[in-house]
């Protein structure tokens, strides 16, 4: 459950702080921030997510930084700041988002759907929904242990 995930992440953060492992603490800030965001605790999550983003950028962890950026955009959506969320997501999906793992691309497109819908931008929402669906189909095919069907 999210409550257990929160408790484990809080304990791990304390342990990382005790041993002075700032890199690991930054990673845990991101995890705890994501859990808090899922629980609707945006104000508590926000500073942790920003710290995790800064830590990831400082150490060259591009994928983790991108994930934190996406999570912050989702937080903006919870704060009903769709325009700001779109700005973050557009930067994240620049060049089609091909530099991102497919699951993160899909997550960013789904957030873009919600942001676009919040602003009444139906065409933009539909475009991003189609991208997310395309990625979903590709992920299902990629994860499938069965060979792809041969079509006539």
């Amino acid at each position: 459950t999210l409550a257990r995930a929160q408790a484990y992440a809080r304990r791990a953060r304390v342990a990382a702080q005790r041993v002075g492992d700032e890199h690991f603490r930054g990673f845990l800030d991101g995890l705890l921030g994501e859990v808090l965001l899922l629980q609707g605790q945006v104000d508590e999550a926000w500073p942790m997510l920003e710290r995790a983003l800064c830590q990831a950028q400082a150490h060259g962890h591009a994928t983790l930084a991108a994930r934190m950026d996406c999570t912050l955009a989702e937080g903006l959506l919870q704060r009903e700041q769709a325009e700001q969320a779109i700005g973050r997501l557009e930067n994240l999906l620049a060049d089609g988002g091909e530099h991102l793992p497919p699951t993160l691309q899909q997550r960013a497109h789904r957030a873009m759907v919600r942001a676009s819908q919040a602003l009444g931008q139906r065409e933009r929402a539909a475009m991003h929904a189609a991208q997310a669906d395309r990625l979903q189909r590709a992920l299902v095919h990629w994860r499938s242990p069965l060979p792809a069907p041969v079509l006539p």
Side-chain angles (χ1 to χ4, degrees):
T1 67
L2 290 175
R4 279 195 0 220
Q6 183 187 115
Y8 290 138
R10 286 189 190 281
R11 285 195 299 239
R13 274 182 80 237
V14 169
Q17 191 170 5
R18 257 189 247 137
V19 297
D21 190 339
E22 287 302 310
H23 173 69
F24 191 53
R25 183 170 176 241
F27 175 75
L28 292 167
D29 278 344
L31 290 176
L32 180 56
E34 286 179 315
V35 169
L36 291 168
L37 196 67
L38 288 169
Q39 292 176 316
Q41 299 176 36
V42 181
D43 292 337
E44 187 177 355
W46 198 264
M48 289 180 194
L49 294 168
E50 286 184 324
R51 276 194 307 271
L53 174 62
C54 289
Q55 186 82 10
Q57 289 171 331
H59 293 288
H61 300 295
T63 301
L64 181 59
R67 191 173 106 200
M68 293 301 100
D69 238 350
C70 188
T71 304
L72 286 163
E74 291 165 337
L76 288 168
L77 287 172
Q78 285 190 27
R79 288 179 166 175
E80 298 181 4
Q81 298 174 352
E83 288 181 15
Q84 293 87 341
I86 283 178
R88 251 186 209 280
L89 293 164
E90 282 177 339
N91 288 336
L92 194 58
L93 292 169
D95 302 322
E98 297 299 322
H99 60 287
L100 302 173
T103 53
L104 186 54
Q105 287 180 48
Q106 184 184 35
R107 184 174 159 193
H109 282 292
R110 294 222 185 275
M112 188 65 99
V113 168
R114 293 192 308 277
S116 299
Q117 287 173 332
L119 297 174
Q121 300 173 353
R122 291 181 180 167
E123 286 182 30
R124 178 187 245 171
M127 181 194 74
H128 286 285
Q131 286 289 82
D133 290 346
R134 179 189 61 78
L135 287 162
Q136 179 64 37
R137 285 189 303 277
L139 285 168
V140 167
H141 175 72
W142 178 75
R143 290 180 181 160
S144 174
L146 302 174
V150 177
L151 302 174

